[in-house]
Amino acid sequence: MNPSALPQNYWINTGNNDIIRRFIQKAGFITKREIEELIAGGIVRKAIKQDLTYGNLDSSIDNLWSLLFTTGYLTQRGEQDGDMLSLAIPNREIRQIFVRQVLEWFDEEASKDIGKLDILFQSMQEGDASAVKKILNEYLRRTISIRDYGVQKERKESFYHGILLGLLGHMEGWDVSSNAETGEGYSDILVTTDNAEGMGIIIEIKYAEDGNLEASCRKALEQIETRRYAEIFEGNGIQSILNYGIACYKKSCMVMVGHPGFVKPNM
């Protein structure tokens, strides 16, 4: 045993989580909202079948609800009413599994729409905040999100951080870094493009707890400036730099863009 080893998530390291992935893949609009409720710490009532056979385990979304319960990914809350049970995610470890599988599912879905991704990448290089905002909002409306209650602000920001990292990771030739040490702190995302002249993109993500997306965007851009995140690019001879402040709230986002020393609002 290594006494200096950091604690790891036992479920993620040892469990087979394909059941959650299949569940998310089969989920329609209503089930996706129910998954959001569970991740937020809420309860969903479902009729549970205790007599599933191997051949019909994932033949329907109803069977998958039952399978998640019998395998321990969901637990009962309160008293049973016939076949109806109140279901919840039992602990933080399993919640983390759900969130990770949602992000992996989102990444797979996003990779199928190369045309939209190309527009996103081009818009980011051109500093077109309006186009970036439009595309990100389209993705957010389609995905399963971290809802507004029961989750710390930092975890919400991490979720949107993961979504954006997944999208940017599909651009060949882009060097994408997460939480890189720059200036006087750690920037959320740094991108170096493969343009002939080279370009640096700095992204700071904020969750707007009060729904004020504009104020959170400005706070993000101010953080990039005051902590001098651009220094990492300037020290490597990259002069073309764009700062992005991205604020998210539920299934909406706002984007502001500027160059070092200048903030340009998204109108």
Side-chain angles (χ1 to χ4, degrees):
M1 177 179 293
N2 180 2
S4 64
L6 295 175
Q8 299 293 316
N9 187 321
Y10 175 83
W11 284 92
I12 290 178
N13 290 336
T14 63
N16 184 337
N17 303 311
D18 285 346
I19 175 179
I20 297 179
R21 181 176 295 243
R22 294 202 304 272
F23 179 62
I24 293 170
Q25 288 171 339
K26 282 182 174 289
F29 177 81
I30 293 176
T31 303
K32 287 176 182 176
R33 303 295 80 82
E34 291 173 325
I35 294 172
E36 291 177 350
E37 182 77 18
L38 290 170
I39 290 175
I43 291 172
V44 174
R45 287 185 57 78
K46 290 292 172 182
I48 296 300
K49 302 176 183 177
Q50 303 282 1
D51 57 349
L52 289 175
T53 63
Y54 181 82
N56 66 2
L57 287 179
D58 63 352
S59 60
S60 72
I61 198 71
D62 291 333
N63 287 349
L64 283 170
W65 279 108
S66 299
L67 187 57
L68 286 168
F69 172 70
T70 57
T71 52
Y73 287 106
L74 295 176
T75 192
Q76 181 179 344
R77 294 281 190 262
E79 297 295 324
Q80 183 170 345
D81 181 11
D83 292 336
M84 297 297 295
L85 271 67
S86 296
L87 302 175
I89 294 176
N91 55 50
R92 185 171 59 185
E93 285 185 334
I94 296 180
R95 178 189 177 279
Q96 184 181 346
I97 295 173
F98 270 89
V99 172
R100 182 173 296 186
Q101 292 298 324
V102 166
L103 289 172
E104 291 181 4
W105 162 78
F106 176 82
D107 188 42
E108 292 171 1
E109 290 297 303
S111 68
K112 298 175 184 178
D113 196 345
I114 301 300
K116 182 174 291 185
L117 287 172
D118 285 343
I119 296 172
L120 173 64
F121 302 144
Q122 186 64 35
S123 299
M124 291 199 75
Q125 292 178 92
E126 294 173 352
D128 189 342
S130 180
V132 173
K133 170 188 170 182
K134 180 177 182 293
I135 294 172
L136 291 181
N137 275 319
E138 289 176 7
Y139 279 120
L140 289 178
R141 282 193 295 269
R142 286 162 40 191
T143 193
I144 297 164
S145 66
I146 299 295
R147 288 180 54 181
D148 212 28
Y149 54 88
V151 182
Q152 294 178 351
K153 178 182 177 182
E154 292 76 14
R155 292 184 185 175
K156 295 171 189 173
E157 289 179 350
S158 294
F159 181 80
Y160 294 103
H161 185 149
I163 284 180
L164 194 53
L165 271 180
L167 293 173
L168 296 175
H170 290 290
M171 182 58 181
E172 294 184 7
W174 281 23
D175 182 12
V176 181
S177 301
S178 176
N179 295 315
E181 186 172 4
T182 55
E184 297 180 354
Y186 294 84
S187 61
D188 281 341
I189 300 175
L190 288 181
V191 178
T192 306
T193 73
D194 60 353
N195 293 352
E197 68 278 7
M199 171 180 279
I201 297 174
I202 305 167
I203 302 171
E204 187 67 26
I205 301 166
K206 297 293 182 187
Y207 187 80
E209 287 279 10
D210 58 358
N212 190 334
L213 294 170
E214 181 175 350
S216 293
C217 275
R218 293 190 179 281
K219 183 177 180 181
L221 286 174
E222 181 181 353
Q223 180 173 323
I224 293 172
E225 288 292 308
T226 58
R227 298 189 184 180
R228 305 201 307 270
Y229 291 160
E231 285 185 356
I232 191 171
F233 290 133
E234 294 167 351
N236 288 287
I238 297 176
Q239 299 300 316
S240 181
I241 302 170
L242 288 174
N243 298 337
Y244 276 92
I246 299 179
C248 301
Y249 180 69
K250 297 183 180 179
K251 290 185 177 292
S252 297
C253 76
M254 185 174 184
V255 179
M256 288 185 181
V257 63
H259 300 276
F262 173 73
V263 175
K264 172 187 172 185
N266 167 44
M267 304 303 290

